């Protein structure tokens, strides 16, 4: 058809017949080398993210082709490989290497350039929560909430990254004295990025997830379309 838009996803491009599965791309494109802890060894991400990354790249390409077709009618071929999608998704980790020569190491959930960010803190009621402190103001409010002087001691992100283990120890000592829901509620009110670690049972009991569920005679499943479109 002269107006067809063909979308095609390959593993390693048209010049390669290498068999590609999400796990293989996670290994080959560096994700597994960064995922996990120093003790765990390389770990696969628990969802097929490379497949999802490629799907979103394809969606963007199809939309661009559709817009281009309105100005320049004709058939279009949109292609993305799993490998290209994986490498394009390395984001700040790739930047750290390409600019500074830093090869990312496994460090659990911790962010390589921000602290405290990704540390896991046990609470009084045996839950765990994590923080994503992205600004000095957020760290100051966190320090004040727990009645600590750590903001005065570590007022900049650079100082916090350099002393993240000491900060983690201090925060651990105060967070373990409170219940998870209390801390989460209070910090959310202070606009401090925080979340209790939920498993899927806990997630799907949350009120805000109910609108993302579909149910039929086969049971429940989660929607795969999360956006909404409304005419302004």
């Amino acid at each position: 058809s002269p107006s067809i838009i063909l979308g095609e996803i390959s593993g390693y491009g048209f010049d390669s017949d290498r068999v590609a599965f999400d796990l293989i791309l996670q290994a080959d494109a560096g994700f597994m080398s960064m995922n996990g802890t120093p003790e765990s060894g390389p770990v696969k991400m628990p969802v097929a993210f490379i497949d999802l990354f490629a799907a979103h790249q394809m969606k963007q390409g199809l939309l661009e082709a559709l817009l281009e077709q309105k100005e320049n009618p004709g058939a279009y071929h949109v292609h993305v490989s799993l490998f290209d999608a994986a490498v394009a998704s390395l984001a700040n980790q790739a930047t750290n290497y390409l600019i500074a020569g830093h090869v990312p190491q496994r460090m659990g959930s911790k962010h390589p350039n921000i602290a405290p960010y990704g540390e896991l803190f046990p609470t009084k009621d045996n839950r765990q929560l994590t923080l994503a402190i992205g600004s000095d103001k957020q760290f100051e409010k966190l320090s004040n909430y727990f009645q600590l002087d750590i903001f005065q001691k570590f007022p900049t992100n650079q100082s916090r990254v350099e002393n993240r283990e000491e900060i983690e120890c201090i925060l651990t000592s105060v967070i373990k004295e409170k219940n998870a829901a209390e801390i989460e509620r209070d910090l959310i009110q202070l606009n401090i990025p925080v979340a209790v670690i939920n498993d899927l049972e806990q997630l799907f009991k949350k009120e805000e997830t109910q609108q993302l569920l579909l149910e039929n005679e086969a049971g429940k499943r989660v929607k795969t379309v999360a956006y909404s479109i409304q005419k302004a």
Side-chain angles (χ1 to χ4, degrees), residues 174-219:
V174 293
I175 289 174
K176 70 181 182 180
E177 299 300 322
K178 292 178 178 285
N179 289 333
E182 175 189 0
I183 298 175
E184 186 179 52
R185 181 199 65 220
D186 292 347
L187 296 189
I188 287 174
Q189 290 177 349
L190 292 170
N191 292 319
I192 296 173
V194 61
V196 178
I197 309 299
N198 290 319
D199 61 24
L200 292 196
E201 180 180 11
Q202 292 157 342
L203 168 67
F204 286 112
K205 285 182 178 179
K206 291 166 69 74
E207 181 179 349
E208 53 265 45
T209 60
Q210 302 311 303
Q211 63 176 335
L212 292 169
L213 298 179
L214 298 173
E215 187 168 8
N216 55 30
E217 62 277 3

Side-chain angles (χ1 to χ4, degrees), residues 87-161:
V87 175
S89 302
L90 287 169
N92 62 298
Q93 299 286 11
T95 300
N96 287 344
Y97 171 72
L98 293 172
I99 292 180
H102 172 71
V103 178
Q105 303 299 309
R106 292 182 298 278
M107 52 190 305
S109 300
K110 296 175 184 177
H111 196 290
N113 307 112
I114 309 173
Y117 193 116
E119 287 83 352
L120 302 179
F121 301 100
T123 62
K124 184 178 181 180
D125 53 343
N126 295 318
R127 297 292 300 276
Q128 285 185 309
L129 60 80
T130 190
L131 298 165
I133 304 303
S135 70
D136 296 340
K137 185 64 176 178
Q138 290 172 355
F139 189 66
E140 181 179 17
K141 290 194 291 186
L142 180 71
S143 177
N144 291 338
Y145 172 73
F146 285 113
Q147 299 180 328
L148 301 169
D149 63 355
I150 49 175
F151 176 71
Q152 289 74 22
K153 190 173 182 181
F154 308 110
T156 66
N157 179 63
Q158 181 178 349
S159 66
R160 294 192 288 275
V161 170

Side-chain angles (χ1 to χ4, degrees), residues 31-98:
F31 286 86
M32 288 181 64
S33 74
M34 299 181 287
N35 195 35
T37 67
E39 298 77 24
S40 71
V43 176
K44 180 184 79 67
M45 292 182 288
V47 174
F49 279 112
I50 308 303
D51 290 349
L52 295 174
F53 291 152
H56 283 288
Q57 291 276 1
M58 175 56 66
K59 175 181 67 177
Q60 182 69 21
L62 292 172
L63 290 173
E64 290 189 25
L66 189 62
L67 291 172
E68 180 67 22
Q69 194 179 61
K70 289 184 177 182
E71 299 294 328
N72 300 288
Y76 287 83
H77 181 203
V78 180
H79 166 252
V80 62
S81 73
L82 294 178
F83 181 79
D84 289 354
V87 175
S89 302
L90 287 169
N92 62 298
Q93 299 286 11
T95 300
N96 287 344
Y97 171 72
L98 293 172

